[in-house]
Amino acid sequence: MRSTIKDVAKRAGVSIATVSRVLNRSDVVNEETRLLVENAVRELRYSPNIAARNLSRSKTETIGILLPDLYGEFFSEVLRGMDRTARKHSYHLFISSSHNNKAEIEAALRVMSGRVDGLIIMSPHIDAASLNANLPSALPLVLLNCHVEGDEFDAINIDNYRGAFEIVKHLASHGHKRIAIIKGTEKNIDAQERLRGYRDALEEAGAEYSKAFEIPGDFTEQSSYNAALQILQLKPRPTAIFVSNDAMAIAALSALRTHQVSVPEEIALAGFDDIPIASYIKPSLTTVRVGISELGALAVDRLLDAVRNKKEHTKRHLIMPTGIVVRESCGCTRTVHPTP
Amino acid sequence: MRSTIKDVAKRAGVSIATVSRVLNRSDVVNEETRLLVENAVRELRYSPNIAARNLSRSKTETIGILLPDLYGEFFSEVLRGMDRTARKHSYHLFISSSHNNKAEIEAALRVMSGRVDGLIIMSPHIDAASLNANLPSALPLVLLNCHVEGDEFDAINIDNYRGAFEIVKHLASHGHKRIAIIKGTEKNIDAQERLRGYRDALEEAGAEYSKAFEIPGDFTEQSSYNAALQILQLKPRPTAIFVSNDAMAIAALSALRTHQVSVPEEIALAGFDDIPIASYIKPSLTTVRVGISELGALAVDRLLDAVRNKKEHTKRHLIMPTGIVVRESCGCTRTVHPTP
DNA sequence: CTTGGAAATGTAAACGTTTACATTTGTGGC
DNA sequence: GCCACAAATGTAAACGTTTACATTTCCAAG
């Protein structure tokens, strides 16, 4: 059915090695022969079988990416950065998802075996040592947002703690004494650090701490909408909410709006991530800037360094700094144009 | 470095065929032998080289997906449907992007060659015949949102025309006589059909047609924000806007809000796609429901049918129906809760 | 113990490509 | 024409896995 290098060789009247040379190093083949081969390739619509090439060369020029999910703007932005950087280095991405499920991680890793030069795994639910038990030791690996200690792994984490701390401090600087939080998923390292930053900021700002102000969420819009409704029932009612990611903050905003609660005047709001839509809603969202696509880009850079410099590569655990982006929802500003 | 099947066989004291049988059909191997092999696999952390397996079996259980971009909520939702359906059939996705660029399409197809059992290509800018010139004829293929005529290809298109027609008719039913459009990218078949539906609806509704009401956009938030500013300058000013996708509608909403234009009271708004966020903004967006993830799921179903039933599969060109989702932005309703 | 048949396992070749080393071809100088 | 050397091309084996067919082992019946 599909043409192989043997078909091309036969049609051009040369050996398979010559066909290979034309395709890979055409400077060592004379022009007449080269044209014969190129014509045969075109006529037969031949395309090299990359699986065979991978096997032969032990090199795939492909990076495996394993994310918790394939959808949602956060992952979409991570992929943006990864795609851009990989493309720059002529690498391709093989993207898969794990749904934060150990068995699905193992299945995905199996499918990638022999097909990728290295791996980037984002898994905020599962710790690094547990993940590593499933991996061939020679395969270069970068972990994103995993629970990691020390420099045993190439890993990159967001400074969740610092970002949450600063943005809650910012809310407090507006005079808010009762600040609630809509939490992320329980076992998630990102969510845990954001909660810890929230708590420490309350303490440092001398704001009121109450267990009742900590409302569970699971990083979905629906959970946040319901959490916001709960907050509206609290007595006394909080005057500000820190929401553990932007998608949830948008849903919380919707709930507040539906109940005629004016934002930021009656309840101020802050999110986490700075996904692109955050600047286009009204009021535009004050949030923690993560540099999501930069995170993806950095991960690819680190991994490619490991792939290309096997002997000299030094494993490192990097913490990506966060910053706060002050827009309208905290009450600071009524800017005229979305921040690009 | 990495263990091969030969290492496992040596360690277990059996042949490589026996190792293969244990991994693939363990019912034909006796228990004692099976345990030896399983122990060796575990100790060596052996994982089959999938490239070698693909070559040997001529079967990859992987589907190639080629989208214009990897980011944005529309593509994210398509992937959701694809991922879910593929997973159900134990297939994996190999996802890549083309940026609507012919050369990048070719590069992506080359990388996938021999590594996928079939392909799904979404390319609203490039027509099917032109795409097909680059593909091995035996490879099962499903085209999404490509410019296609007849039943020569397995293809699925959204009923852009009908969706746009109906939603603009709906805006007109509110009494709007001056309805503007923020268009999508020029060469894009989806955008062209939405424009055509808009025009025909104006004509059927007896609404005012003016070339000045057609403002160019390119499916980005920024282009739409600027387009909305232009619309605000028109004399006489339109009282409704049909925006060619939801992401742009959200940005247009932001522009209107920034200029104290009340939506839907002063200017009504409608979008296209029904991305998840559409129901969480305020006012919630009246839009054309595409069934984005259903589109992805259907594409995978069609492709798997082609892969599995090579002889009997019938190529078909399907048009996915659209419908309108009436929420707040057109002025119909002030619902209390987002539609799930 | 021998025989026949089933179960279990091994051998060899296939898949499509790459590339080291072997061989052939071409060219210039004598 | 011969020789030396460079350029061009071919041959054979490698990559890691699967599986048809060959071979061996096991077990039950006579």
Side-chain angles (χ1 to χ4, degrees), chain A residues 27-187:
Chain A
D27 55 308
V28 298
V29 179
N30 91 35
E31 180 153 3
E32 186 185 332
T33 305
R34 182 168 57 75
L35 288 172
L36 284 177
V37 171
E38 286 174 348
N39 284 335
V41 167
R42 197 178 306 117
E43 286 160 6
L44 292 171
R45 285 155 104 182
Y46 167 75
S47 180
N49 182 313
I50 304 297
R53 196 181 225 178
N54 289 351
L55 190 53
S56 182
R57 293 176 70 199
S58 299
K59 194 174 185 321
T60 69
E61 279 157 3
T62 303
I63 292 169
I65 309 290
L66 187 56
L67 302 175
D69 279 299
L70 291 184
Y71 11 84
E73 212 162 3
F74 182 86
F75 300 121
S76 190
E77 284 300 301
V78 171
L79 285 177
R80 187 196 293 267
M82 287 174 174
D83 187 42
R84 193 182 285 147
T85 305
R87 198 172 288 265
K88 204 165 38 172
H89 295 285
S90 301
Y91 268 74
H92 293 264
L93 304 183
F94 188 124
I95 303 159
S96 195
S97 64
S98 66
H99 302 106
N100 286 314
N101 175 307
K102 190 102 179 278
E104 290 201 30
I105 291 176
E106 285 164 13
L109 296 183
R110 261 196 306 274
V111 170
M112 287 181 180
S113 181
R115 299 210 264 186
V116 295
D117 292 333
L119 267 181
I120 298 176
I121 303 183
M122 181 189 286
S123 183
H125 279 64
I126 295 165
D127 70 289
S130 179
L131 273 176
N132 197 41
N134 282 298
L135 294 166
S137 58
L139 194 65
L141 169 71
V142 173
L143 300 176
L144 284 192
N145 295 1
C146 294
H147 187 51
V148 177
E149 317 268 3
D151 278 345
E152 192 183 342
F153 302 99
D154 249 316
I156 307 174
N157 287 71
I158 298 163
D159 197 347
N160 289 294
Y161 174 84
R162 174 63 50 185
F165 184 89
E166 299 287 358
I167 205 145
V168 173
K169 279 282 292 295
H170 181 79
L171 288 176
S173 76
H174 279 262
H176 296 290
K177 291 294 178 185
R178 295 192 302 279
I179 302 172
I181 180 174
I182 299 178
K183 298 190 286 191
T185 315
E186 267 228 27
K187 291 282 169 56

Side-chain angles (χ1 to χ4, degrees), chain B residues 223-293:
Chain B
S223 74
S224 181
Y225 193 95
N226 295 333
L229 296 185
Q230 276 183 65
I231 289 167
L232 290 182
Q233 307 295 331
L234 294 176
K235 303 281 169 54
R237 197 161 90 175
T239 57
I241 312 178
F242 168 53
V243 190
S244 294
N245 77 3
D246 283 356
M248 289 209 298
I250 291 164
L253 178 63
S254 181
L256 297 183
R257 275 282 189 53
T258 297
H259 286 78
Q260 326 303 333
V261 175
S262 166
V263 175
E265 291 84 2
E266 289 177 72
I267 298 190
L269 204 56
F272 201 113
D273 285 332
D274 196 28
I275 58 176
I277 200 92
S279 60
Y280 287 105
I281 56 168
K282 272 290 170 186
S284 53
L285 197 58
T286 292
T287 183
V288 178
R289 175 175 164 79
V290 168
I292 311 175
S293 72

Side-chain angles (χ1 to χ4, degrees), chain B residues 14-15 17-18 21 28-30 33 55-56:
Chain B
V14 299
S15 75
T18 298
R21 287 194 192 96
V28 298
V29 179
N30 92 35
T33 306
L55 189 52
S56 181

Side-chain angles (χ1 to χ4, degrees), chain A residues 282-295:
Chain A
K282 273 288 170 191
S284 54
L285 197 58
T286 293
T287 183
V288 179
R289 173 172 166 81
V290 168
I292 311 174
S293 73
E294 286 89 352
L295 177 67

Side-chain angles (χ1 to χ4, degrees), chain B residues 6 9 18 43 51 62-63 127 148 155 157 163 169 178 222 229 260 267 271 276 284 306 314 323:
Chain B
K6 287 177 193 166
T18 298
E43 286 161 7
T62 303
I63 292 170
D127 71 291
V148 177
N157 287 72
K169 278 280 292 296
R178 292 191 306 277
Q222 193 62 52
L229 296 185
Q260 326 303 333
I267 298 190
S284 53
T314 306

Side-chain angles (χ1 to χ4, degrees), chain B residues 132-175:
Chain B
N132 197 43
N134 282 300
L135 293 166
S137 56
L139 194 65
L141 170 70
V142 173
L143 300 177
L144 284 191
N145 294 3
C146 294
H147 188 51
V148 177
E149 319 266 5
D151 278 346
E152 191 183 342
F153 301 99
D154 249 314
I156 308 176
N157 287 72
I158 299 164
D159 197 347
N160 291 292
Y161 173 84
R162 174 62 52 186
F165 183 90
E166 298 287 357
I167 204 147
V168 173
K169 278 280 292 296
H170 180 78
L171 288 176
S173 78
H174 279 260

